[in-house]
Amino acid sequence: GAGVSQSPSNKVTEKGKDVELRCDPISGHTALYWYRQRLGQGLEFLIYFQGNSAPDKSGLPSDRFSAERTGESVSTLTIQRTQQEDSAVYLCASSRTLNEQFFGPGTRLTVL
Amino acid sequence: GQQLNQSPQSMFIQEGEDVSMNCTSSSIFNTWLWYKQDPGEGPVLLIALYKAGELTSNGRLTAQFGITRKDSFLNISASIPSDVGIYFCAGQRTTDSWGKFQFGAGTQVVVTP
C-alpha cells in the first residue's frame, strides 16, 4: 500500500500477557518511529530507528518494552507482562527526509 | 513530559469562524509540523515549516514558524464541520538528533453549524 500500515488495529489482552504490534512503513522510508497516545493526550515518543544506526530507545518507559526493525522494513513493538497502564493507542510513523513523518492508523491496545 | 506547550486545549466555534492555536517552548526549533487527527486514525500532516519567519498556507490553513524559533501558530479560516478533530504541533529541537520530534498535547476543535 501507499501508506504506513499497522496490525492489529485493535488488541485486547489480559494483564501479564505479552503482545506484539507490527508496523509496515512506507517503502523507501529509512526512519521509523513508535509513539504511545493515551486517551485524550498527545503523542509520547517511544523509539526511533534510522537506517543502520543504533535505535534511539530513550522514550521506552520500562524494560518491558522493546522494538526491533528488519533492515528498512517491518518493525515490531513488543510489550512483555502487560499492565493496565499500557492501555493506549500505539502509533507508528515513517519518514524518508527526516523533516516530516507519516503516521499509520495505530493499534488500540486494551489491557484488562 | 510535554516539551511543547500547545494552546488552547480545546475550542468550540461556529461554522464560518476563524480558528487560531499555537505552540511555544523554551527550546529553539529547526522544524515545525502541524498535524490533524480524526477519531480512530493516525495524525495527518497538514503543514511543514523549516525556516524562522516562514509563513505557509494549505487551503484555508496558514501556519508560521516564529521569528524566535521557539513558537509556531496555525490558523484555520472560515471553519467548516469537517475541520473537527485534534490538531497537534510537532517540533524538532536543534539539540535533538535529526529526525526526532517533540509533540504538543493537542488542540481539540469542535465546529457547530
mmCIF file with all atom_site columns, all heavy atoms in Angstrom, chain A residues 99, chain B residues 4 23-25 27 29-34 47-50 64-66 69-72 89-92 101:
data_model
loop_
_atom_site.group_PDB
_atom_site.id
_atom_site.type_symbol
_atom_site.label_atom_id
_atom_site.label_alt_id
_atom_site.label_comp_id
_atom_site.label_asym_id
_atom_site.label_entity_id
_atom_site.label_seq_id
_atom_site.pdbx_PDB_ins_code
_atom_site.Cartn_x
_atom_site.Cartn_y
_atom_site.Cartn_z
_atom_site.occupancy
_atom_site.B_iso_or_equiv
_atom_site.pdbx_formal_charge
_atom_site.auth_seq_id
_atom_site.auth_comp_id
_atom_site.auth_asym_id
_atom_site.auth_atom_id
_atom_site.pdbx_PDB_model_num
ATOM 1   N N   . ASN A 1 99  ? 12.495 15.282 7.855  1.00 0.00 ? 99  ASN A N   1
ATOM 2   C CA  . ASN A 1 99  ? 11.860 16.564 8.107  1.00 0.00 ? 99  ASN A CA  1
ATOM 3   C C   . ASN A 1 99  ? 10.378 16.435 8.397  1.00 0.00 ? 99  ASN A C   1
ATOM 4   O O   . ASN A 1 99  ? 9.741  17.403 8.792  1.00 0.00 ? 99  ASN A O   1
ATOM 5   C CB  . ASN A 1 99  ? 12.033 17.488 6.904  1.00 0.00 ? 99  ASN A CB  1
ATOM 6   C CG  . ASN A 1 99  ? 13.403 18.130 6.887  1.00 0.00 ? 99  ASN A CG  1
ATOM 7   O OD1 . ASN A 1 99  ? 14.083 18.178 7.895  1.00 0.00 ? 99  ASN A OD1 1
ATOM 8   N ND2 . ASN A 1 99  ? 13.795 18.619 5.731  1.00 0.00 ? 99  ASN A ND2 1
ATOM 9   N N   . LEU B 2 4   ? 6.495  20.788 24.489 1.00 0.00 ? 4   LEU B N   1
ATOM 10  C CA  . LEU B 2 4   ? 5.827  21.885 23.816 1.00 0.00 ? 4   LEU B CA  1
ATOM 11  C C   . LEU B 2 4   ? 4.535  22.228 24.551 1.00 0.00 ? 4   LEU B C   1
ATOM 12  O O   . LEU B 2 4   ? 3.805  21.341 24.969 1.00 0.00 ? 4   LEU B O   1
ATOM 13  C CB  . LEU B 2 4   ? 5.480  21.496 22.374 1.00 0.00 ? 4   LEU B CB  1
ATOM 14  C CG  . LEU B 2 4   ? 6.644  21.209 21.433 1.00 0.00 ? 4   LEU B CG  1
ATOM 15  C CD1 . LEU B 2 4   ? 6.121  20.831 20.065 1.00 0.00 ? 4   LEU B CD1 1
ATOM 16  C CD2 . LEU B 2 4   ? 7.548  22.416 21.338 1.00 0.00 ? 4   LEU B CD2 1
ATOM 17  N N   . CYS B 2 23  ? 1.836  26.893 19.546 1.00 0.00 ? 23  CYS B N   1
ATOM 18  C CA  . CYS B 2 23  ? 2.736  26.070 20.338 1.00 0.00 ? 23  CYS B CA  1
ATOM 19  C C   . CYS B 2 23  ? 3.946  26.903 20.719 1.00 0.00 ? 23  CYS B C   1
ATOM 20  O O   . CYS B 2 23  ? 4.499  27.619 19.869 1.00 0.00 ? 23  CYS B O   1
ATOM 21  C CB  . CYS B 2 23  ? 3.188  24.836 19.566 1.00 0.00 ? 23  CYS B CB  1
ATOM 22  S SG  . CYS B 2 23  ? 2.034  23.482 19.687 1.00 0.00 ? 23  CYS B SG  1
ATOM 23  N N   . THR B 2 24  ? 4.358  26.792 21.976 1.00 0.00 ? 24  THR B N   1
ATOM 24  C CA  . THR B 2 24  ? 5.521  27.529 22.443 1.00 0.00 ? 24  THR B CA  1
ATOM 25  C C   . THR B 2 24  ? 6.434  26.598 23.229 1.00 0.00 ? 24  THR B C   1
ATOM 26  O O   . THR B 2 24  ? 6.009  25.562 23.749 1.00 0.00 ? 24  THR B O   1
ATOM 27  C CB  . THR B 2 24  ? 5.124  28.707 23.345 1.00 0.00 ? 24  THR B CB  1
ATOM 28  O OG1 . THR B 2 24  ? 4.451  28.182 24.501 1.00 0.00 ? 24  THR B OG1 1
ATOM 29  C CG2 . THR B 2 24  ? 4.204  29.666 22.630 1.00 0.00 ? 24  THR B CG2 1
ATOM 30  N N   . SER B 2 25  ? 7.685  26.996 23.300 1.00 0.00 ? 25  SER B N   1
ATOM 31  C CA  . SER B 2 25  ? 8.664  26.210 24.034 1.00 0.00 ? 25  SER B CA  1
ATOM 32  C C   . SER B 2 25  ? 9.792  27.111 24.496 1.00 0.00 ? 25  SER B C   1
ATOM 33  O O   . SER B 2 25  ? 9.966  28.216 23.967 1.00 0.00 ? 25  SER B O   1
ATOM 34  C CB  . SER B 2 25  ? 9.224  25.094 23.142 1.00 0.00 ? 25  SER B CB  1
ATOM 35  O OG  . SER B 2 25  ? 10.256 24.389 23.791 1.00 0.00 ? 25  SER B OG  1
ATOM 36  N N   . SER B 2 27  ? 12.791 25.946 24.169 1.00 0.00 ? 27  SER B N   1
ATOM 37  C CA  . SER B 2 27  ? 13.868 25.456 23.312 1.00 0.00 ? 27  SER B CA  1
ATOM 38  C C   . SER B 2 27  ? 13.765 26.073 21.923 1.00 0.00 ? 27  SER B C   1
ATOM 39  O O   . SER B 2 27  ? 12.707 26.551 21.523 1.00 0.00 ? 27  SER B O   1
ATOM 40  C CB  . SER B 2 27  ? 13.801 23.931 23.190 1.00 0.00 ? 27  SER B CB  1
ATOM 41  O OG  . SER B 2 27  ? 13.894 23.308 24.451 1.00 0.00 ? 27  SER B OG  1
ATOM 42  N N   . PHE B 2 29  ? 13.847 25.576 17.862 1.00 0.00 ? 29  PHE B N   1
ATOM 43  C CA  . PHE B 2 29  ? 13.485 24.517 16.920 1.00 0.00 ? 29  PHE B CA  1
ATOM 44  C C   . PHE B 2 29  ? 13.969 24.837 15.521 1.00 0.00 ? 29  PHE B C   1
ATOM 45  O O   . PHE B 2 29  ? 14.079 25.996 15.124 1.00 0.00 ? 29  PHE B O   1
ATOM 46  C CB  . PHE B 2 29  ? 11.963 24.337 16.911 1.00 0.00 ? 29  PHE B CB  1
ATOM 47  C CG  . PHE B 2 29  ? 11.441 23.692 18.168 1.00 0.00 ? 29  PHE B CG  1
ATOM 48  C CD1 . PHE B 2 29  ? 11.311 24.422 19.334 1.00 0.00 ? 29  PHE B CD1 1
ATOM 49  C CD2 . PHE B 2 29  ? 11.104 22.350 18.180 1.00 0.00 ? 29  PHE B CD2 1
ATOM 50  C CE1 . PHE B 2 29  ? 10.862 23.828 20.500 1.00 0.00 ? 29  PHE B CE1 1
ATOM 51  C CE2 . PHE B 2 29  ? 10.647 21.750 19.338 1.00 0.00 ? 29  PHE B CE2 1
ATOM 52  C CZ  . PHE B 2 29  ? 10.524 22.488 20.498 1.00 0.00 ? 29  PHE B CZ  1
ATOM 53  N N   . ASN B 2 30  ? 14.248 23.784 14.746 1.00 0.00 ? 30  ASN B N   1
ATOM 54  C CA  . ASN B 2 30  ? 14.624 23.991 13.350 1.00 0.00 ? 30  ASN B CA  1
ATOM 55  C C   . ASN B 2 30  ? 13.546 23.499 12.395 1.00 0.00 ? 30  ASN B C   1
ATOM 56  O O   . ASN B 2 30  ? 13.656 23.683 11.182 1.00 0.00 ? 30  ASN B O   1
ATOM 57  C CB  . ASN B 2 30  ? 15.970 23.308 13.033 1.00 0.00 ? 30  ASN B CB  1
ATOM 58  C CG  . ASN B 2 30  ? 15.961 21.840 13.361 1.00 0.00 ? 30  ASN B CG  1
ATOM 59  O OD1 . ASN B 2 30  ? 14.970 21.146 13.165 1.00 0.00 ? 30  ASN B OD1 1
ATOM 60  N ND2 . ASN B 2 30  ? 17.078 21.330 13.883 1.00 0.00 ? 30  ASN B ND2 1
ATOM 61  N N   . THR B 2 31  ? 12.532 22.878 12.918 1.00 0.00 ? 31  THR B N   1
ATOM 62  C CA  . THR B 2 31  ? 11.411 22.407 12.103 1.00 0.00 ? 31  THR B CA  1
ATOM 63  C C   . THR B 2 31  ? 10.144 22.428 12.947 1.00 0.00 ? 31  THR B C   1
ATOM 64  O O   . THR B 2 31  ? 10.190 22.067 14.133 1.00 0.00 ? 31  THR B O   1
ATOM 65  C CB  . THR B 2 31  ? 11.643 20.960 11.607 1.00 0.00 ? 31  THR B CB  1
ATOM 66  O OG1 . THR B 2 31  ? 12.853 20.882 10.861 1.00 0.00 ? 31  THR B OG1 1
ATOM 67  C CG2 . THR B 2 31  ? 10.486 20.482 10.738 1.00 0.00 ? 31  THR B CG2 1
ATOM 68  N N   . TRP B 2 32  ? 9.036  22.857 12.319 1.00 0.00 ? 32  TRP B N   1
ATOM 69  C CA  . TRP B 2 32  ? 7.719  22.773 12.949 1.00 0.00 ? 32  TRP B CA  1
ATOM 70  C C   . TRP B 2 32  ? 6.775  22.046 11.996 1.00 0.00 ? 32  TRP B C   1
ATOM 71  O O   . TRP B 2 32  ? 6.783  22.307 10.789 1.00 0.00 ? 32  TRP B O   1
ATOM 72  C CB  . TRP B 2 32  ? 7.144  24.154 13.235 1.00 0.00 ? 32  TRP B CB  1
ATOM 73  C CG  . TRP B 2 32  ? 7.750  24.870 14.396 1.00 0.00 ? 32  TRP B CG  1
ATOM 74  C CD1 . TRP B 2 32  ? 8.702  25.846 14.349 1.00 0.00 ? 32  TRP B CD1 1
ATOM 75  C CD2 . TRP B 2 32  ? 7.444  24.688 15.782 1.00 0.00 ? 32  TRP B CD2 1
ATOM 76  N NE1 . TRP B 2 32  ? 9.005  26.276 15.612 1.00 0.00 ? 32  TRP B NE1 1
ATOM 77  C CE2 . TRP B 2 32  ? 8.247  25.585 16.523 1.00 0.00 ? 32  TRP B CE2 1
ATOM 78  C CE3 . TRP B 2 32  ? 6.552  23.858 16.487 1.00 0.00 ? 32  TRP B CE3 1
ATOM 79  C CZ2 . TRP B 2 32  ? 8.203  25.670 17.907 1.00 0.00 ? 32  TRP B CZ2 1
ATOM 80  C CZ3 . TRP B 2 32  ? 6.512  23.945 17.858 1.00 0.00 ? 32  TRP B CZ3 1
ATOM 81  C CH2 . TRP B 2 32  ? 7.326  24.842 18.561 1.00 0.00 ? 32  TRP B CH2 1
ATOM 82  N N   . LEU B 2 33  ? 5.991  21.148 12.559 1.00 0.00 ? 33  LEU B N   1
ATOM 83  C CA  . LEU B 2 33  ? 4.987  20.432 11.775 1.00 0.00 ? 33  LEU B CA  1
ATOM 84  C C   . LEU B 2 33  ? 3.637  20.597 12.449 1.00 0.00 ? 33  LEU B C   1
ATOM 85  O O   . LEU B 2 33  ? 3.551  20.664 13.680 1.00 0.00 ? 33  LEU B O   1
ATOM 86  C CB  . LEU B 2 33  ? 5.319  18.935 11.690 1.00 0.00 ? 33  LEU B CB  1
ATOM 87  C CG  . LEU B 2 33  ? 6.722  18.545 11.218 1.00 0.00 ? 33  LEU B CG  1
ATOM 88  C CD1 . LEU B 2 33  ? 6.899  17.036 11.304 1.00 0.00 ? 33  LEU B CD1 1
ATOM 89  C CD2 . LEU B 2 33  ? 6.953  19.028 9.798  1.00 0.00 ? 33  LEU B CD2 1
ATOM 90  N N   . TRP B 2 34  ? 2.590  20.657 11.649 1.00 0.00 ? 34  TRP B N   1
ATOM 91  C CA  . TRP B 2 34  ? 1.226  20.685 12.171 1.00 0.00 ? 34  TRP B CA  1
ATOM 92  C C   . TRP B 2 34  ? 0.462  19.502 11.596 1.00 0.00 ? 34  TRP B C   1
ATOM 93  O O   . TRP B 2 34  ? 0.478  19.267 10.379 1.00 0.00 ? 34  TRP B O   1
ATOM 94  C CB  . TRP B 2 34  ? 0.517  21.990 11.825 1.00 0.00 ? 34  TRP B CB  1
ATOM 95  C CG  . TRP B 2 34  ? 0.987  23.131 12.668 1.00 0.00 ? 34  TRP B CG  1
ATOM 96  C CD1 . TRP B 2 34  ? 1.975  24.027 12.387 1.00 0.00 ? 34  TRP B CD1 1
ATOM 97  C CD2 . TRP B 2 34  ? 0.486  23.487 13.973 1.00 0.00 ? 34  TRP B CD2 1
ATOM 98  N NE1 . TRP B 2 34  ? 2.129  24.910 13.431 1.00 0.00 ? 34  TRP B NE1 1
ATOM 99  C CE2 . TRP B 2 34  ? 1.219  24.602 14.413 1.00 0.00 ? 34  TRP B CE2 1
ATOM 100 C CE3 . TRP B 2 34  ? -0.511 22.966 14.807 1.00 0.00 ? 34  TRP B CE3 1
ATOM 101 C CZ2 . TRP B 2 34  ? 0.996  25.212 15.645 1.00 0.00 ? 34  TRP B CZ2 1
ATOM 102 C CZ3 . TRP B 2 34  ? -0.735 23.573 16.024 1.00 0.00 ? 34  TRP B CZ3 1
ATOM 103 C CH2 . TRP B 2 34  ? 0.006  24.682 16.440 1.00 0.00 ? 34  TRP B CH2 1
ATOM 104 N N   . ILE B 2 47  ? 0.885  20.896 7.467  1.00 0.00 ? 47  ILE B N   1
ATOM 105 C CA  . ILE B 2 47  ? 1.852  21.902 7.021  1.00 0.00 ? 47  ILE B CA  1
ATOM 106 C C   . ILE B 2 47  ? 3.193  21.622 7.683  1.00 0.00 ? 47  ILE B C   1
ATOM 107 O O   . ILE B 2 47  ? 3.243  21.264 8.857  1.00 0.00 ? 47  ILE B O   1
ATOM 108 C CB  . ILE B 2 47  ? 1.380  23.330 7.386  1.00 0.00 ? 47  ILE B CB  1
ATOM 109 C CG1 . ILE B 2 47  ? 0.130  23.703 6.583  1.00 0.00 ? 47  ILE B CG1 1
ATOM 110 C CG2 . ILE B 2 47  ? 2.486  24.354 7.128  1.00 0.00 ? 47  ILE B CG2 1
ATOM 111 C CD1 . ILE B 2 47  ? -0.415 25.097 6.896  1.00 0.00 ? 47  ILE B CD1 1
ATOM 112 N N   . ALA B 2 48  ? 4.276  21.830 6.933  1.00 0.00 ? 48  ALA B N   1
ATOM 113 C CA  . ALA B 2 48  ? 5.635  21.707 7.457  1.00 0.00 ? 48  ALA B CA  1
ATOM 114 C C   . ALA B 2 48  ? 6.356  23.043 7.271  1.00 0.00 ? 48  ALA B C   1
ATOM 115 O O   . ALA B 2 48  ? 6.228  23.687 6.221  1.00 0.00 ? 48  ALA B O   1
ATOM 116 C CB  . ALA B 2 48  ? 6.384  20.601 6.736  1.00 0.00 ? 48  ALA B CB  1
ATOM 117 N N   . LEU B 2 49  ? 7.106  23.461 8.292  1.00 0.00 ? 49  LEU B N   1
ATOM 118 C CA  . LEU B 2 49  ? 7.813  24.739 8.287  1.00 0.00 ? 49  LEU B CA  1
ATOM 119 C C   . LEU B 2 49  ? 9.274  24.494 8.617  1.00 0.00 ? 49  LEU B C   1
ATOM 120 O O   . LEU B 2 49  ? 9.579  23.775 9.578  1.00 0.00 ? 49  LEU B O   1
ATOM 121 C CB  . LEU B 2 49  ? 7.197  25.686 9.324  1.00 0.00 ? 49  LEU B CB  1
ATOM 122 C CG  . LEU B 2 49  ? 5.711  25.976 9.167  1.00 0.00 ? 49  LEU B CG  1
ATOM 123 C CD1 . LEU B 2 49  ? 5.137  26.517 10.475 1.00 0.00 ? 49  LEU B CD1 1
ATOM 124 C CD2 . LEU B 2 49  ? 5.480  26.982 8.044  1.00 0.00 ? 49  LEU B CD2 1
ATOM 125 N N   . TYR B 2 50  ? 10.176 25.135 7.862  1.00 0.00 ? 50  TYR B N   1
ATOM 126 C CA  . TYR B 2 50  ? 11.594 24.829 8.021  1.00 0.00 ? 50  TYR B CA  1
ATOM 127 C C   . TYR B 2 50  ? 12.473 26.041 8.284  1.00 0.00 ? 50  TYR B C   1
ATOM 128 O O   . TYR B 2 50  ? 13.673 25.890 8.556  1.00 0.00 ? 50  TYR B O   1
ATOM 129 C CB  . TYR B 2 50  ? 12.113 24.097 6.778  1.00 0.00 ? 50  TYR B CB  1
ATOM 130 C CG  . TYR B 2 50  ? 11.338 22.845 6.456  1.00 0.00 ? 50  TYR B CG  1
ATOM 131 C CD1 . TYR B 2 50  ? 10.601 22.751 5.276  1.00 0.00 ? 50  TYR B CD1 1
ATOM 132 C CD2 . TYR B 2 50  ? 11.326 21.771 7.323  1.00 0.00 ? 50  TYR B CD2 1
ATOM 133 C CE1 . TYR B 2 50  ? 9.876  21.598 4.980  1.00 0.00 ? 50  TYR B CE1 1
ATOM 134 C CE2 . TYR B 2 50  ? 10.605 20.609 7.030  1.00 0.00 ? 50  TYR B CE2 1
ATOM 135 C CZ  . TYR B 2 50  ? 9.882  20.542 5.859  1.00 0.00 ? 50  TYR B CZ  1
ATOM 136 O OH  . TYR B 2 50  ? 9.167  19.415 5.557  1.00 0.00 ? 50  TYR B OH  1
ATOM 137 N N   . GLN B 2 64  ? 2.775  29.541 10.722 1.00 0.00 ? 64  GLN B N   1
ATOM 138 C CA  . GLN B 2 64  ? 4.001  30.338 10.711 1.00 0.00 ? 64  GLN B CA  1
ATOM 139 C C   . GLN B 2 64  ? 5.015  29.781 11.696 1.00 0.00 ? 64  GLN B C   1
ATOM 140 O O   . GLN B 2 64  ? 4.662  29.323 12.789 1.00 0.00 ? 64  GLN B O   1
ATOM 141 C CB  . GLN B 2 64  ? 3.720  31.806 11.046 1.00 0.00 ? 64  GLN B CB  1
ATOM 142 C CG  . GLN B 2 64  ? 4.968  32.677 10.936 1.00 0.00 ? 64  GLN B CG  1
ATOM 143 C CD  . GLN B 2 64  ? 4.682  34.151 10.794 1.00 0.00 ? 64  GLN B CD  1
ATOM 144 O OE1 . GLN B 2 64  ? 3.671  34.646 11.289 1.00 0.00 ? 64  GLN B OE1 1
ATOM 145 N NE2 . GLN B 2 64  ? 5.569  34.864 10.120 1.00 0.00 ? 64  GLN B NE2 1
ATOM 146 N N   . PHE B 2 65  ? 6.260  29.853 11.296 1.00 0.00 ? 65  PHE B N   1
ATOM 147 C CA  . PHE B 2 65  ? 7.418  29.485 12.113 1.00 0.00 ? 65  PHE B CA  1
ATOM 148 C C   . PHE B 2 65  ? 7.853  30.779 12.791 1.00 0.00 ? 65  PHE B C   1
ATOM 149 O O   . PHE B 2 65  ? 8.257  31.726 12.133 1.00 0.00 ? 65  PHE B O   1
ATOM 150 C CB  . PHE B 2 65  ? 8.519  28.966 11.183 1.00 0.00 ? 65  PHE B CB  1
ATOM 151 C CG  . PHE B 2 65  ? 9.660  28.260 11.845 1.00 0.00 ? 65  PHE B CG  1
ATOM 152 C CD1 . PHE B 2 65  ? 10.193 27.127 11.249 1.00 0.00 ? 65  PHE B CD1 1
ATOM 153 C CD2 . PHE B 2 65  ? 10.246 28.729 13.004 1.00 0.00 ? 65  PHE B CD2 1
ATOM 154 C CE1 . PHE B 2 65  ? 11.278 26.463 11.809 1.00 0.00 ? 65  PHE B CE1 1
ATOM 155 C CE2 . PHE B 2 65  ? 11.315 28.076 13.577 1.00 0.00 ? 65  PHE B CE2 1
ATOM 156 C CZ  . PHE B 2 65  ? 11.834 26.947 12.971 1.00 0.00 ? 65  PHE B CZ  1
ATOM 157 N N   . GLY B 2 66  ? 7.765  30.849 14.114 1.00 0.00 ? 66  GLY B N   1
ATOM 158 C CA  . GLY B 2 66  ? 8.063  32.080 14.827 1.00 0.00 ? 66  GLY B CA  1
ATOM 159 C C   . GLY B 2 66  ? 9.481  32.573 14.628 1.00 0.00 ? 66  GLY B C   1
ATOM 160 O O   . GLY B 2 66  ? 10.412 31.773 14.484 1.00 0.00 ? 66  GLY B O   1
ATOM 161 N N   . ARG B 2 69  ? 12.104 31.279 16.821 1.00 0.00 ? 69  ARG B N   1
ATOM 162 C CA  . ARG B 2 69  ? 12.298 29.833 16.601 1.00 0.00 ? 69  ARG B CA  1
ATOM 163 C C   . ARG B 2 69  ? 11.847 29.012 17.801 1.00 0.00 ? 69  ARG B C   1
ATOM 164 O O   . ARG B 2 69  ? 12.164 27.820 17.896 1.00 0.00 ? 69  ARG B O   1
ATOM 165 C CB  . ARG B 2 69  ? 13.764 29.519 16.276 1.00 0.00 ? 69  ARG B CB  1
ATOM 166 C CG  . ARG B 2 69  ? 14.243 30.216 15.017 1.00 0.00 ? 69  ARG B CG  1
ATOM 167 C CD  . ARG B 2 69  ? 15.716 29.990 14.762 1.00 0.00 ? 69  ARG B CD  1
ATOM 168 N NE  . ARG B 2 69  ? 16.000 28.607 14.452 1.00 0.00 ? 69  ARG B NE  1
ATOM 169 C CZ  . ARG B 2 69  ? 17.235 28.113 14.344 1.00 0.00 ? 69  ARG B CZ  1
ATOM 170 N NH1 . ARG B 2 69  ? 18.280 28.896 14.531 1.00 0.00 ? 69  ARG B NH1 1
ATOM 171 N NH2 . ARG B 2 69  ? 17.414 26.841 14.060 1.00 0.00 ? 69  ARG B NH2 1
ATOM 172 N N   . LYS B 2 70  ? 11.058 29.654 18.690 1.00 0.00 ? 70  LYS B N   1
ATOM 173 C CA  . LYS B 2 70  ? 10.574 28.938 19.862 1.00 0.00 ? 70  LYS B CA  1
ATOM 174 C C   . LYS B 2 70  ? 9.055  28.745 19.830 1.00 0.00 ? 70  LYS B C   1
ATOM 175 O O   . LYS B 2 70  ? 8.483  28.224 20.786 1.00 0.00 ? 70  LYS B O   1
ATOM 176 C CB  . LYS B 2 70  ? 10.945 29.701 21.135 1.00 0.00 ? 70  LYS B CB  1
ATOM 177 C CG  . LYS B 2 70  ? 12.442 29.799 21.376 1.00 0.00 ? 70  LYS B CG  1
ATOM 178 C CD  . LYS B 2 70  ? 12.723 30.545 22.658 1.00 0.00 ? 70  LYS B CD  1
ATOM 179 C CE  . LYS B 2 70  ? 14.223 30.611 22.916 1.00 0.00 ? 70  LYS B CE  1
ATOM 180 N NZ  . LYS B 2 70  ? 14.516 31.317 24.196 1.00 0.00 ? 70  LYS B NZ  1
ATOM 181 N N   . ASP B 2 71  ? 8.423  29.189 18.728 1.00 0.00 ? 71  ASP B N   1
ATOM 182 C CA  . ASP B 2 71  ? 6.979  29.042 18.674 1.00 0.00 ? 71  ASP B CA  1
ATOM 183 C C   . ASP B 2 71  ? 6.474  28.929 17.236 1.00 0.00 ? 71  ASP B C   1
ATOM 184 O O   . ASP B 2 71  ? 7.197  29.229 16.279 1.00 0.00 ? 71  ASP B O   1
ATOM 185 C CB  . ASP B 2 71  ? 6.279  30.199 19.392 1.00 0.00 ? 71  ASP B CB  1
ATOM 186 C CG  . ASP B 2 71  ? 6.603  31.550 18.780 1.00 0.00 ? 71  ASP B CG  1
ATOM 187 O OD1 . ASP B 2 71  ? 7.486  31.616 17.904 1.00 0.00 ? 71  ASP B OD1 1
ATOM 188 O OD2 . ASP B 2 71  ? 5.972  32.537 19.185 1.00 0.00 ? 71  ASP B OD2 1
ATOM 189 N N   . SER B 2 72  ? 5.223  28.503 17.133 1.00 0.00 ? 72  SER B N   1
ATOM 190 C CA  . SER B 2 72  ? 4.573  28.394 15.837 1.00 0.00 ? 72  SER B CA  1
ATOM 191 C C   . SER B 2 72  ? 3.072  28.517 16.053 1.00 0.00 ? 72  SER B C   1
ATOM 192 O O   . SER B 2 72  ? 2.568  28.182 17.128 1.00 0.00 ? 72  SER B O   1
ATOM 193 C CB  . SER B 2 72  ? 4.890  27.046 15.182 1.00 0.00 ? 72  SER B CB  1
ATOM 194 O OG  . SER B 2 72  ? 4.205  26.900 13.944 1.00 0.00 ? 72  SER B OG  1
ATOM 195 N N   . CYS B 2 89  ? 0.834  20.127 17.185 1.00 0.00 ? 89  CYS B N   1
ATOM 196 C CA  . CYS B 2 89  ? 2.075  20.677 16.670 1.00 0.00 ? 89  CYS B CA  1
ATOM 197 C C   . CYS B 2 89  ? 3.190  19.689 17.003 1.00 0.00 ? 89  CYS B C   1
ATOM 198 O O   . CYS B 2 89  ? 3.086  18.925 17.964 1.00 0.00 ? 89  CYS B O   1
ATOM 199 C CB  . CYS B 2 89  ? 2.382  22.038 17.282 1.00 0.00 ? 89  CYS B CB  1
ATOM 200 S SG  . CYS B 2 89  ? 2.647  21.996 19.066 1.00 0.00 ? 89  CYS B SG  1
ATOM 201 N N   . ALA B 2 90  ? 4.224  19.709 16.219 1.00 0.00 ? 90  ALA B N   1
ATOM 202 C CA  . ALA B 2 90  ? 5.412  18.897 16.476 1.00 0.00 ? 90  ALA B CA  1
ATOM 203 C C   . ALA B 2 90  ? 6.616  19.716 16.063 1.00 0.00 ? 90  ALA B C   1
ATOM 204 O O   . ALA B 2 90  ? 6.578  20.438 15.064 1.00 0.00 ? 90  ALA B O   1
ATOM 205 C CB  . ALA B 2 90  ? 5.375  17.586 15.705 1.00 0.00 ? 90  ALA B CB  1
ATOM 206 N N   . GLY B 2 91  ? 7.667  19.630 16.843 1.00 0.00 ? 91  GLY B N   1
ATOM 207 C CA  . GLY B 2 91  ? 8.857  20.392 16.521 1.00 0.00 ? 91  GLY B CA  1
ATOM 208 C C   . GLY B 2 91  ? 10.112 19.571 16.723 1.00 0.00 ? 91  GLY B C   1
ATOM 209 O O   . GLY B 2 91  ? 10.151 18.662 17.551 1.00 0.00 ? 91  GLY B O   1
ATOM 210 N N   . GLN B 2 92  ? 11.131 19.932 15.940 1.00 0.00 ? 92  GLN B N   1
ATOM 211 C CA  . GLN B 2 92  ? 12.426 19.281 16.072 1.00 0.00 ? 92  GLN B CA  1
ATOM 212 C C   . GLN B 2 92  ? 13.390 20.293 16.662 1.00 0.00 ? 92  GLN B C   1
ATOM 213 O O   . GLN B 2 92  ? 13.674 21.323 16.032 1.00 0.00 ? 92  GLN B O   1
ATOM 214 C CB  . GLN B 2 92  ? 12.916 18.797 14.722 1.00 0.00 ? 92  GLN B CB  1
ATOM 215 C CG  . GLN B 2 92  ? 14.230 18.044 14.779 1.00 0.00 ? 92  GLN B CG  1
ATOM 216 C CD  . GLN B 2 92  ? 14.529 17.379 13.456 1.00 0.00 ? 92  GLN B CD  1
ATOM 217 O OE1 . GLN B 2 92  ? 14.460 16.162 13.316 1.00 0.00 ? 92  GLN B OE1 1
ATOM 218 N NE2 . GLN B 2 92  ? 14.856 18.179 12.465 1.00 0.00 ? 92  GLN B NE2 1
ATOM 219 N N   . PHE B 2 101 ? 11.271 14.233 17.015 1.00 0.00 ? 101 PHE B N   1
ATOM 220 C CA  . PHE B 2 101 ? 10.311 15.323 17.195 1.00 0.00 ? 101 PHE B CA  1
ATOM 221 C C   . PHE B 2 101 ? 9.665  15.300 18.572 1.00 0.00 ? 101 PHE B C   1
ATOM 222 O O   . PHE B 2 101 ? 9.444  14.243 19.157 1.00 0.00 ? 101 PHE B O   1
ATOM 223 C CB  . PHE B 2 101 ? 9.208  15.232 16.130 1.00 0.00 ? 101 PHE B CB  1
ATOM 224 C CG  . PHE B 2 101 ? 9.668  15.641 14.759 1.00 0.00 ? 101 PHE B CG  1
ATOM 225 C CD1 . PHE B 2 101 ? 10.307 14.741 13.928 1.00 0.00 ? 101 PHE B CD1 1
ATOM 226 C CD2 . PHE B 2 101 ? 9.458  16.934 14.304 1.00 0.00 ? 101 PHE B CD2 1
ATOM 227 C CE1 . PHE B 2 101 ? 10.742 15.123 12.663 1.00 0.00 ? 101 PHE B CE1 1
ATOM 228 C CE2 . PHE B 2 101 ? 9.876  17.315 13.036 1.00 0.00 ? 101 PHE B CE2 1
ATOM 229 C CZ  . PHE B 2 101 ? 10.517 16.412 12.220 1.00 0.00 ? 101 PHE B CZ  1
#
